[in-house]
Amino acid sequence: LDWGRAASDTQLTQRPSNRRYSFSHALLAEALRRTYNPLRLRRASERVAAALARLAPDAAGEIARLYDQASRSEEAHRYAFLAGERAASVYAHDEAATFFEMAARHAPTPADAVQAEWRLALVADARGRLAEVEERCGRVVASVGAPETVLGEAKRLRERARLMKGDNPKDVLARFEVLLADAADAGADRDAAAVLTLISQTHSRLGDAELAERIALEAVQVAERTGDTRLLADAVMRVASSLIVHRPEDAVVHFRRAIDLFVTLDDGRGQLRCQINSGVAYD
């Protein structure tokens, strides 16, 4: 370090009471890593990760990377999953995907691997990568030990991705009807409301606005019984979307209700979607 400072190859990047040094060129750091004993490097990474976890537990991303370098799978998985969740919550999708992939690599159990894969599917959906959504949801559905709640959501998300990709809406609708029948047999109102919302969207794609509205209203009624605010917000937004072309004044009323629901959820993305569509309706 003294040599590096004298040669101006390293510099202090934080105040002296909390020292951290950076290299003036990344290749210098890489050269040092290559000459360092790999086992000692892993042990050093582990010690630094443990210290950072104790002194700065909110630095989940840095801790995850260090445990990853140290090949400490259990700790790397835990902190990588936490870092992925935090990144996803602020729409940092690339960073979230990186950490969920790390969590998947270090997953201690098949159930943990499924959870990481599911979160990767959700991130892909937020990024609009429909082919990736379909592929990852397929892995979740085919996996052993996936929780029933995740399994149902993965099946629905996969079919929605197929619909958005341009698959035949009639074929997708038939598969949604099967999912709706399964939900009815299980008495699962949450699943039923979610599927009804997607069926309404499919009928809009088929050009049947009246049926799309009727089914969306049914989805709202079922969602209200569940007490699930997010489910209700999605259903109300679907009603508004089904009205936007032929009854835009009524669509705005429903968009306003959906915005209020998304506000209670602190969901900025949901609010923004409603605001944009309200603008379309006003136009």
Side-chain angles (χ1 to χ4, degrees):
L1 180 58
D2 291 336
W3 172 85
R5 292 177 67 186
S8 298
D9 288 324
T10 61
Q11 57 185 349
L12 185 64
T13 57
Q14 292 188 5
R15 60 184 182 274
S17 61
N18 186 17
R19 289 182 178 177
R20 177 178 296 180
Y21 292 87
S22 65
F23 287 88
S24 59
H25 199 297
L27 290 178
L28 293 172
E30 183 60 29
L32 283 176
R33 275 196 291 267
R34 287 178 181 175
T35 58
Y36 207 69
N37 182 288
L39 180 58
R40 291 184 65 188
L41 183 60
R42 286 198 299 271
R43 288 175 177 172
S45 296
E46 182 181 353
R47 289 197 299 271
V48 174
L52 198 58
R54 184 175 66 257
L55 299 172
D58 288 338
E62 287 190 60
I63 297 169
R65 290 189 181 97
L66 286 164
Y67 275 129
D68 178 46
Q69 293 167 13
S71 300
R72 296 286 298 182
S73 286
E74 184 176 345
E75 294 87 348
H77 170 267
R78 181 169 71 252
Y79 282 102
F81 203 93
L82 178 58
E85 287 184 323
R86 289 178 178 173
S89 71
V90 294
Y91 311 108
H93 301 312
D94 290 346
E95 187 175 353
T98 296
F99 283 117
F100 284 131
E101 286 168 357
M102 185 186 296
R105 287 200 310 272
H106 291 285
T109 68
D112 291 320
V114 169
Q115 288 290 350
E117 189 70 33
W118 172 234
R119 296 309 296 268
L120 283 164
L122 294 176
V123 170
D125 182 52
R127 297 160 105 182
R129 297 185 176 182
L130 300 175
E132 184 181 346
V133 172
E134 182 180 1
E135 180 182 354
R136 291 193 181 281
C137 285
R139 292 177 191 168
V140 172
V141 171
S143 64
V144 177
E148 284 299 320
T149 52
V150 170
L151 193 60
E153 289 184 47
K155 288 179 180 178
R156 293 193 295 272
L157 185 58
R158 179 174 61 176
E159 295 306 328
R160 185 170 71 84
R162 288 170 172 170
L163 179 67
M164 300 299 291
K165 276 176 54 187
D167 282 18
N168 188 326
K170 291 184 178 179
D171 293 339
V172 176
L173 181 61
R175 293 193 288 269
F176 278 144
E177 294 289 354
V178 172
L179 294 179
L180 182 61
D182 291 343
D185 290 342
D189 281 347
R190 282 185 172 82
D191 290 344
V195 176
L196 285 167
T197 299
L198 293 169
I199 289 175
S200 169
Q201 183 179 354
T202 309
H203 281 297
S204 289
R205 288 259 171 161
L206 289 168
D208 194 337
E210 183 178 343
L211 184 55
E213 177 190 356
R214 181 168 60 80
I215 293 175
L217 288 169
E218 184 181 350
V220 168
Q221 292 175 350
V222 177
E224 287 174 334
R225 292 203 302 264
T226 68
D228 188 322
T229 304
R230 181 167 299 281
L231 200 61
L232 179 58
D234 289 338
V236 171
M237 186 166 64
R238 174 88 283 274
V239 174
S241 298
S242 71
L243 298 170
I244 201 168
V245 173
H246 62 291
R247 291 198 343 250
E249 299 91 343
D250 293 337
V252 169
V253 173
H254 290 286
F255 278 129
R256 286 174 178 167
R257 183 188 179 193
I259 288 172
D260 290 340
L261 291 167
F262 282 121
V263 167
T264 65
L265 294 166
D266 194 25
D267 185 340
R269 183 168 179 261
Q271 294 172 56
L272 182 60
R273 291 169 62 198
C274 291
Q275 295 283 10
I276 291 171
N277 284 310
S278 293
V280 174
Y282 277 118
D283 185 60

